[in-house]
């Protein structure tokens, strides 16, 4: 029988080779180049559907955006520390979002729980160091959750109709206006849903649900893909038909 034991020298050689491999890969490209987002394998499908949807509907992933979980009571010492660290006030009520949806903003999740998001840049190590230092000795928390969820951006004149097929919340603008974010579900998947601009919605599923939810949304988009450049809503189409009928 062949000897399958390994000497200390052999183990060290193997470890050295593995370390050298890591160094070689790092030299060839930064660790950033090695990151793979939860929905990266479906990028082509999303791009094809978006091209077919034109102005009607489009779907893409916003990978590796900064997402920082924060826990503190607003108006407390801890809350003020977080506001100083983020440079933004904490939201005070359900659905409220403070800041710039194109950059850093904070979503209300519960009376003492918030999610700070920055879609203008990718997450880097040490995102919470300032907040953590300020919270030293105080009740509260700042945690980097950037790998916890990914962000899917659904846009176009038919985007709301796609979401309404499976969302339990009322998404009419009178109830879910621009700048509102809620915790809800799309089909069976728990998500955070942010109405970030007039015809754009950001959906935050857990990373493990990304594949399922992208396919779910693509299926919901299917009937609108033939609309091409026509992004009119159903109400707009009804008015047009009445005028031309």
């Amino acid at each position: 029988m062949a000897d399958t034991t390994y000497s200390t020298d052999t183990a060290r050689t193997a470890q050295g080779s593995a370390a050298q491999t890591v160094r070689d890969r790092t030299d060839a490209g930064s660790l950033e180049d090695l990151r793979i987002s939860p929905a990266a394998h479906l990028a082509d499908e999303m791009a094809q559907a978006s091209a077919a949807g034109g102005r009607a509907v489009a779907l893409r992933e916003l990978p590796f955006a900064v997402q920082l979980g924060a826990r503190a009571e607003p108006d407390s010492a801890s809350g003020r520390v977080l506001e100083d660290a983020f440079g933004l006030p904490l939201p005070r009520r359900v659905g409220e979002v403070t800041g710039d949806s194109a950059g850093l903003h904070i979503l209300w999740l519960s009376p003492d729980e918030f999610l700070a998001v920055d879609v203008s840049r990718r997450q880097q190590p040490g995102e919470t160091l300032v907040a953590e230092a300020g919270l030293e000795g105080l009740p509260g928390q700042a945690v980097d959750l950037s790998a916890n969820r990914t962000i899917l951006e659904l846009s176009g004149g038919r985007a709301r109709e796609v979401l309404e097929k499976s969302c339990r919340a009322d998404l009419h603008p009178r109830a879910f206006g621009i700048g509102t974010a809620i915790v809800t579900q799309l089909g069976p998947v728990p998500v955070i849903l942010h109405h970030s601009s007039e015809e754009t919605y950001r959906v935050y599923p857990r990373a493990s649900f990304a594949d399922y939810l992208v396919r779910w949304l693509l299926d919901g988009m299917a009937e609108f893909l033939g609309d091409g450049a026509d992004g009119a809503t159903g109400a707009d189409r009804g008015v047009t038909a009445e005028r031309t009928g």
Side-chain angles (χ1 to χ4, degrees):
M1 175 181 284
D3 184 4
T4 57
T5 60
Y6 294 87
S7 67
T8 302
D9 289 340
T10 301
R12 287 174 178 170
T13 299
Q15 292 172 354
S17 298
Q20 184 60 50
T21 299
V22 171
R23 286 194 293 271
D24 290 343
R25 293 178 67 181
T26 303
D27 290 340
S30 67
L31 292 177
E32 181 71 17
D33 297 329
L34 303 179
R35 300 173 77 180
I36 300 175
S37 65
H41 60 294
L42 294 172
D44 288 344
E45 286 87 340
M46 286 188 281
Q48 290 169 10
S50 298
R55 288 190 302 160
V57 66
L59 178 65
R60 64 171 179 157
E61 182 183 24
L62 303 179
F64 311 124
V66 177
Q67 298 181 61
L68 308 178
R71 298 296 300 265
E73 291 283 349
D75 302 316
S76 67
S78 302
R80 288 189 289 273
V81 165
L82 291 176
E83 290 180 331
D84 289 342
F86 296 136
L88 292 172
L90 296 175
R92 286 339 196 242
R93 62 181 185 275
V94 176
E96 184 180 3
V97 178
T98 59
D100 180 6
S101 64
L104 178 63
H105 49 287
I106 303 178
L107 285 62
W108 190 97
L109 300 183
S110 77
D112 67 347
E113 183 178 7
F114 313 92
L115 185 67
V117 181
D118 191 342
V119 296
S120 68
R121 61 187 183 85
R122 293 192 171 197
Q123 175 264 352
Q124 297 295 329
E127 295 283 358
T128 60
L129 290 179
V130 174
E132 288 176 6
L135 287 171
E136 184 69 29
L138 294 173
Q141 188 178 55
V143 181
D144 192 336
L145 299 176
S146 303
N148 189 18
R149 298 181 178 90
T150 193
I151 303 176
L152 304 175
E153 188 173 80
L154 187 71
S155 60
R158 299 286 191 166
R160 177 161 65 94
E161 292 177 66
V162 172
L163 295 173
E164 286 175 333
K165 292 181 179 184
S166 56
C167 185
R168 303 178 182 184
D170 181 0
L171 301 184
H172 191 279
R174 66 173 173 260
F176 191 60
I178 298 171
T180 304
I182 57 173
V183 177
T184 183
Q185 286 189 206
L186 287 183
V189 181
V191 299
I192 298 171
L193 182 61
H194 180 199
H195 189 180
S196 57
S197 63
E198 184 174 1
E199 293 185 345
T200 302
Y201 299 83
R202 292 178 184 151
V203 186
Y204 295 67
R206 302 282 183 183
S208 57
F209 284 111
D211 178 277
Y212 185 97
L213 192 59
V214 168
R215 297 180 191 278
W216 183 278
L217 290 172
L218 289 174
D219 184 68
M221 292 166 57
E223 70 170 293
F224 304 122
L225 299 188
D227 290 354
D230 184 2
T233 63
D236 293 336
R237 286 172 176 269
V239 171
T240 301
E242 184 177 343
R243 289 175 178 171
T244 58

